[in-house]
Amino acid sequence: MLVHQILKSKPEAGVITIKPGTTVSSAASLISEKRIGAVIVSTDGAVPLGILSERDIVRELGRRGSGCLDDKVDDLMTADLVCCVPDESAESVVTKMTEGRFRHMPVMQGDTMIGLISIGDVVKARLSELAMEKQALEGMIMGH
């Protein structure tokens, strides 16, 4: 399965972004409100400058306490993004996520972000693919 197929299967198109300079507390509120695991930091919604995950926020809360909530997202975000492209395989994406120990990846077409996929999106797509393969094999065995 390819990344563009995974993007098509997602219920909501687009990527939730937040502008640089926004407070971590505002980002946490957005993450909570939208029930997502990470937010992309972007000036224009198309070029990702970084990513801030719920893990990043919790890690900093544990280290420094609630004072980090007044920091800017720019201070906590991961700026060295690992991205994928629409024709990349799900296996490649899972490998990158597992090796990098992160759960969200921007999908890029040239210099423009066209989506965001999570490890959950990839696993769901793979389970669907395995279910279809199982049905096909059962059909062949049963002579259908």
Side-chain angles (χ1 to χ4, degrees):
M1 181 163 288
L2 301 177
V3 169
H4 71 85
Q5 294 168 303
I6 295 170
L7 282 179
K8 282 183 190 171
S9 71
K10 290 182 66 143
E12 187 177 313
V15 179
I16 306 295
T17 62
I18 199 162
K19 293 197 180 301
T22 304
T23 63
V24 172
S25 63
S26 293
S29 293
L30 180 63
I31 287 170
S32 175
E33 173 194 326
K34 298 290 186 181
R35 301 184 66 166
I36 55 178
V39 64
I40 296 291
V41 179
S42 176
T43 304
D44 61 2
V47 177
L49 303 174
I51 188 168
L52 182 68
S53 72
E54 58 193 354
R55 281 177 158 180
D56 296 329
I57 297 168
V58 168
R59 188 178 314 115
E60 201 63 17
L61 273 168
R63 198 170 70 79
R64 291 185 26 223
S66 62
C68 71
L69 294 173
D70 295 326
D71 289 356
K72 304 299 180 212
V73 293
D74 317 48
D75 299 328
L76 293 188
M77 72 181 189
T78 300
D80 188 17
L81 289 173
V82 176
C83 302
C84 62
V85 295
D87 62 351
E88 196 164 338
S89 72
E91 290 80 14
S92 170
V93 169
V94 166
T95 299
K96 286 180 184 180
M97 288 181 172
T98 303
E99 289 174 357
R101 299 193 52 143
F102 55 86
R103 299 183 290 182
H104 299 85
M105 184 181 287
V107 182
M108 302 297 291
Q109 192 148 39
D111 293 334
T112 303
M113 179 176 54
I114 61 166
L116 181 73
I117 59 172
S118 71
I119 191 77
D121 297 330
V122 178
V123 169
K124 181 179 174 185
R126 185 65 181 130
L127 288 174
S128 173
E129 195 174 44
L130 288 171
M132 287 189 296
E133 288 173 11
K134 178 182 175 257
Q135 281 182 324
L137 287 171
E138 286 173 344
M140 290 189 324
I141 291 168
M142 302 299 238
H144 294 111

